[in-house]
Every structure is written in C-alpha cells, then in structure tokens.
C-alpha cells in the first residue's frame, strides 16, 4: 500500500506510472455487486458500439480504454483502505506547481507575467484544473499547516495565472457541491470569489479571460463532433478516433503542448498521423456521442452518475468528482490517458464505489471478513441514484447549448462584397454586428478554412493558401451568432471569385 501511495505522489510528475493501472483490476472483485454491475454496463456501452464502428481500430482501442479505466477504478478501491487516500496527491501537485513556474520562466523569461502559466505536459486549461484540485485538497485534508497553506496558495496562484475559466468553473461548482455536506464548501466558494476579485484587480490579458463569455472557437469543434454523431448515431467512430474527424476544425493536424511549441518544438513527421489522438470535442457529451454513439453516451452518464451517487455524503470525493463533471461542459477533463489529470477522476470514482459497502471497515477492503460481501443487506445499490444524477449530468453538459439557443437574434446579415486576388482576399458584410464569421475557400470537392475567426462588423482580410493555382473558386462565409445554438452556422453566404 505504501508503494501505491508513493506512486500517487509521483504520478503528477511521472504520468506514465498511470499506465500500470491494469495491475489493479483484481481489486474490482472486492466491490459490491451493484458497483460491479454499473462498471459492466459502462463496459458494454464502450465495447458493443466499437464492434460495429466504421473504423477498424475502434474495438482494440475500446478494449485499451476499458482496461485503463477499470484499472484506475481498481487502484482507487485499493487506495480507499488508507486513512487519507488522496493525501499523497497533494505532494505531487505541489511539485507540479513548482515545475510549472520554473518551466514558464524558462520559456518566457522576463515576459512570463504577460502570458498564461504553462507546463511542459499540461495546457493552461488543464493546469488550471490541477490548481483547483490543490485548493480542494488543502481545504479538506489535514496536512501539516505549513504545507497545507503552501499547497492552497500555490494551487490558487496556478489557477489564477493559467487564466483557466474551466478550472475556475470546476472550483466554483465543486465548492458548491461540498456545501451540501461540510462547511469547507463555503471556504471553497469564498476562495473562488477571492480569486475572481484578484483577477479583476490585476488588469492583465490573462486575468481578463475569467470575465470573457466567448467560447474560444469551441463551437467549431462542437459542430464537427455533432456532424460525426449524426452520421454514426449508434456506434460513433470509436474511442480516440473522433480526433481524426476534428483535425483542422480549430487546431492544426498535429500539435504539442503550448509551452513546447513556444520553444519552437513541433510535431515530427512520424507523429503527424497520430495527431488526432489528442484532439477532443471540448464537451464530454459530444465526445461520447461522437466516439461511441448514443449507447456510449448513456453508459458514460450512468458511470459518472454512479460515482457521484456513491460519493454522496463525503465532502472531498463529491467535490472533486463534481468539479470534473462541471468542467466537462466546456472541456474533456477526464479523458484518459492524460498527463495524470483525468486519471484522478477515476481514482476518486473507485474510492467512492468502495463506500457502497455499509458498515464494512477498511480491513474488508484488504481481504478480511469476506463473508460480509455475500450479505445483500451490507451493500447499497447505486443504480437508482445513478440514473437520476446521470440525467442531471446530461443536463449540465448540455447547458452551453441551451444558453446559446435561448438568446435573441441580431438582424440577418448580407454579403456586401467578396474578392480574392494574388496577395489576399477580402469579405465585407452588411448588418454584421453581433456575428462571428469564418471564411472557407472551396474548389473541386473540398473546402479549406482561411485564418481563425473575425467579427462580422469589420472588414475581413485573409491570405489564400500557399501555391493556390489561378482559377474559379467559391468563398464560403459561415456566420455564427453568439446568441444562438452554436452547433451549426446561422447563415451560409457564398460568392464565386476568380484568382
């Protein structure tokens, strides 16, 4: 058990340690029948759609994901026999924060205060979530007070300097969940408010992100993931394979962590074919629908609902799980394998499921008194609560789309003019205020996105693709409204151009 605790402390800096998780699959046998049935439903929802998915690698990749996830849950069951099972994670997070500050200074030098805090193997969004986890651990666990204070302060600083709105959302919602059981939840909410006040006072581009309502291009990924689901509603395309369909929607075909790219490192040629493995839909509901269709989404919702139901009444576990769940609205925080970010969710889920045996002490989880496992009156069935909480999770993950669909609509725009020359092109809209615009160049069978995204009220200037031959093309202008459902463009305007 001490070796497992040491591994948990080292994993934030050595993420490959999490790949040993299948070694803990035997611990799943110690869970009550209801918990094992819940995991069985999740397994079926992952494997059965993969058998009929259009991609040949879908089934082996589904098996790999299942073994990894179940192994992590088993590791959580094993850790639950400890007095403070999550305490070693705080040590690993503390070291992670120090390396983030050191790496950011190494990459940016004196300009480090003007950019988002980064880490060699975390994006600023993921790093913000790790900061929120440190704050929650510092609030709930009885570390020695100097370390507890440092962990909380550094976690809050990492969250603030990363500019991660998803991390702030996780801390706010996780703290609100903790209010149901312990007063520490009020402290989490108070610290969230304090961090937001600090962000308002800093007046820097990083801190201003916390008060921005724009989606940073996520709606483009949502649209593409939704299109994939519509094409394969019952099977999806397979775990880890949705990213191949998302390439070019928001990011390039292959990219590394932002800090590495800031130092001039890019994907080597041998890695380019695998670049889709770490491109996500930035919404867990759409990710599951695109990967495993409707059955996969239902299975994931039941699993998350079951974790929350099993953690009900335990402040720290419920807060952590709810923090991850909340961030699932705008990101994919528990997609695994990851830089030991998503793994924490399934470890906490395993610890929660181990609580389903009523009246059983920690020795039972170590193998003693196994006769208690056979008593139907010693366990709690997670399915009824899992169904209700799973439905709540589905509603939570759908909130961005419901919000966007409920807003009033600006006047419809029209295309004033569009042109394409040797040096570049221009597009201008009438009545474009309040809209966001993407410009695509179409020729032959395909279309290519030009640039990033523009405001509909400004003159749009763009550069054509390199080595574009002369000829006739179509400029396709996609007009998105920030106040309507973002899964599809509100208007599509086209103009034929000659280069």
């Amino acid at each position: 058990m001490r070796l497992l605790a040491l591994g948990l402390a080292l994993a934030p800096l050595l993420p490959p340690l999490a790949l040993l998780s299948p070694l803990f699959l035997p611990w799943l046998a110690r869970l009550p029948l209801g918990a094992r049935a819940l995991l069985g439903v999740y397994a079926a929802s992952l494997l059965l759609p993969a058998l009929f998915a259009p991609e040949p690698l879908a089934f082996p990749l589904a098996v790999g994901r299942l073994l990894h996830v179940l192994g992590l849950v088993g590791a959580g069951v094993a850790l639950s026999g400890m007095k403070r099972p999550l305490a070693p994670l705080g040590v690993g997070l503390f070291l992670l924060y120090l390396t983030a500050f050191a790496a950011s200074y190494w990459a940016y030098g004196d300009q480090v205060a003007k950019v988002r805090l980064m880490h060699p193997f975390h994006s600023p969004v993921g790093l913000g979530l790790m900061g929120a986890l440190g704050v929650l651990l510092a609030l709930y666990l009885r570390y020695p007070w100097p370390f507890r204070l440092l962990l909380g302060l550094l976690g809050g600083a990492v969250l603030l300097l990363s500019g991660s709105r998803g991390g702030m959302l996780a801390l706010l919602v996780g703290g609100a969940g903790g209010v149901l059981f312990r007063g520490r939840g009020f402290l989490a909410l108070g610290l969230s408010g304090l961090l937001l006040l600090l962000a308002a006072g800093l007046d820097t581009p990083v801190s201003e992100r916390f008060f921005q309502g724009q989606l940073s291009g996520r709606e483009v990924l949502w649209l593409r993931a939704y299109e994939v689901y519509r094409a394969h509603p019952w099977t999806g395309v397979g775990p880890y394979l949705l990213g191949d369909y998302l390439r070019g929607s928001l990011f390039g075909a292959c990219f590394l962590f932002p800090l590495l790219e800031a130092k001039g490192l890019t994907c080597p040629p041998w890695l380019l074919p695998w670049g889709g493995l770490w491109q996500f839909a930035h919404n867990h509901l759409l990710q599951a629908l695109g990967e495993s269709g409707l059955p996969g989404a239902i299975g994931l919702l039941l699993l998350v609902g079951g974790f929350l139901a099993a953690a009900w009444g335990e402040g720290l576990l419920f807060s952590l799980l709810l923090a991850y769940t909340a961030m699932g609205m705008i990101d994919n925080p528990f997609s695994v394998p990851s830089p030991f970010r998503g793994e924490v969710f399934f470890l906490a889920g395993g610890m929660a499921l181990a609580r389903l045996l009523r009246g059983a002490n920690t020795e039972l989880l170590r193998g003693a008194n196994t006769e208690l496992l056979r008593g139907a009156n010693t366990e709690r069935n997670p399915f009824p609560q899992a169904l209700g909480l799973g439905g709540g999770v589905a509603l939570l993950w759908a909130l961005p789309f419901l919000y966007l669909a409920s807003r009033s609509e600006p006047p419809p725009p029209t295309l004033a003019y569009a042109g394409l020359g040797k040096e570049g092109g221009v597009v201008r809209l009438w009545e474009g205020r309040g809209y966001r615009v993407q410009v695509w160049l179409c020729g032959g069978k395909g279309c290519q996105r030009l640039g990033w995204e523009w405001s509909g009220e400004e003159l749009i200037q763009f550069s054509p693709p390199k080595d574009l031959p002369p000829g006739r093309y179509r400029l396709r202008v996609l007009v998105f409204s920030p106040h309507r459902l973002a899964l599809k463009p509100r208007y599509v305007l086209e103009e034929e151009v000659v280069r």
Side-chain angles (χ1 to χ4, degrees):
M1 197 65 68
R2 289 182 179 179
L3 190 61
L4 181 56
L6 178 62
L8 181 58
L10 293 177
L13 287 180
L14 301 172
L17 287 175
L19 297 178
L20 299 175
S21 63
L23 296 176
F24 295 92
L25 287 171
W27 284 84
L28 298 178
R30 307 185 181 210
L31 287 174
L33 180 61
R36 281 180 282 155
L38 181 71
L39 296 175
V41 170
Y42 171 72
S45 73
L46 195 62
L47 296 178
L48 292 178
L51 280 172
F52 304 99
E55 299 288 344
L57 289 176
F59 187 74
L61 288 174
V63 172
R65 172 178 285 181
L66 182 63
L67 292 176
H68 188 45
V69 166
L70 294 184
L72 290 168
V73 173
V77 175
L79 282 166
S80 66
M82 298 172 54
K83 185 176 181 180
R84 295 185 301 167
L86 283 170
L89 179 61
V91 178
L93 291 177
F94 179 79
L95 298 175
L96 181 75
Y97 302 156
L98 295 181
T99 56
F101 285 113
S104 295
Y105 185 79
W106 165 74
Y108 297 104
D110 295 337
Q111 302 297 312
V112 67
K114 300 179 181 179
V115 297
R116 301 174 71 182
L117 189 70
M118 298 185 187
H119 192 276
F121 47 82
H122 281 284
S123 68
V125 176
L127 192 60
L129 174 61
M130 302 303 270
L133 296 187
V135 172
L136 291 173
L137 290 178
L139 287 175
Y140 279 94
L141 295 181
R142 296 186 179 276
Y143 294 109
W145 74 262
F147 178 77
R148 190 177 189 179
L149 181 62
L150 279 175
L151 179 63
L153 288 175
L154 283 178
V158 166
L159 173 56
L160 186 63
L161 297 177
S162 68
S164 172
R165 292 171 293 172
M168 185 64 72
L169 176 67
L171 182 58
L172 282 167
V173 178
V179 168
L180 297 172
F181 313 117
R182 295 179 65 177
R184 304 281 173 84
F186 288 107
L187 290 176
L189 288 177
L191 284 174
S192 303
L194 178 61
L195 289 174
L196 288 173
L197 284 176
L198 288 174
L202 287 176
D203 193 25
T204 64
V206 174
S207 61
E208 288 172 0
R209 286 183 51 82
F210 291 111
F211 307 100
Q212 296 173 354
Q214 50 90 10
L215 294 168
S216 301
R218 284 177 173 86
E219 69 280 1
V220 182
L221 293 169
W222 294 348
L223 169 63
R224 186 64 189 126
Y226 179 71
E227 290 174 342
V228 173
Y229 159 67
R230 288 292 301 270
H232 308 281
W234 298 106
T235 65
V237 294
Y240 307 111
L241 298 172
L242 177 62
D244 282 336
Y245 294 79
L246 302 179
R247 291 196 201 204
S249 299
L250 183 58
F251 306 106
C254 182
F255 57 91
L256 302 178
F257 293 105
L259 187 140
L260 299 178
E261 293 196 336
K263 295 298 291 183
L265 298 175
T266 57
C267 286
W270 62 268
L271 194 57
L272 292 176
W274 306 98
L277 291 177
W278 50 91
Q279 302 212 28
F280 304 102
H282 284 256
N283 178 278
H284 262 308
L285 181 60
L286 284 173
Q287 184 75 25
L289 288 170
E291 287 187 335
S292 301
L294 191 59
I298 292 174
L300 180 64
L301 290 170
L302 280 175
L303 183 69
V304 176
F307 284 172
L308 291 171
W312 189 268
E314 209 290 327
L316 176 57
L317 281 180
F318 189 81
S319 293
L320 285 178
L321 291 167
L322 192 59
Y324 272 90
T325 304
M327 195 172 176
M329 287 193 292
I330 55 172
D331 217 294
N332 295 92
F334 53 87
S335 291
V336 290
S338 72
F340 206 74
R341 179 178 60 248
E343 284 77 1
V344 177
F345 177 80
F346 293 103
L347 286 173
M351 296 175 196
L353 291 180
R355 299 178 66 249
L356 292 176
L357 284 175
R358 293 175 176 172
N361 57 26
T362 55
E363 290 300 318
L364 183 148
L365 294 174
R366 293 172 182 166
N369 300 326
T370 53
E371 288 297 319
L372 290 176
L373 286 170
R374 301 190 183 97
N377 61 343
T378 65
E379 65 179 62
R380 179 160 52 100
N381 186 356
F383 271 102
Q385 287 179 297
L387 284 170
L389 289 173
V393 172
L395 178 61
L396 182 68
W397 287 348
L399 279 181
F401 317 123
L402 297 176
Y403 166 76
L404 291 168
S406 66
R407 308 292 290 190
S408 59
E409 185 70 4
T414 57
L415 190 61
Y417 57 85
L420 178 64
K422 292 183 178 180
E423 301 300 325
V426 293
V427 167
R428 182 72 177 183
L429 297 182
W430 292 118
E431 301 290 348
R433 182 184 296 273
Y435 290 100
R436 294 164 297 105
V437 177
Q438 297 171 14
V439 179
W440 297 67
L441 183 66
C442 302
K445 296 182 178 179
C447 296
Q448 181 175 352
R449 183 177 175 178
L450 305 173
W452 178 250
E453 186 175 275
W454 292 270
S455 168
E457 60 184 304
E458 66 184 25
L459 176 67
I460 299 168
Q461 297 177 297
F462 55 87
S463 299
K466 294 181 180 179
D467 303 322
L468 182 70
R472 290 185 174 274
Y473 298 91
R474 285 180 297 114
L475 278 178
R476 195 165 185 244
V477 181
L478 304 185
V479 184
F480 293 84
S481 169
H483 306 309
R484 298 294 293 178
L485 189 63
L487 289 180
K488 62 181 179 180
R490 181 64 176 163
Y491 302 101
V492 179
L493 311 173
E494 291 192 3
E495 182 78 12
E496 186 176 87
V497 294
V498 179
R499 184 171 192 256

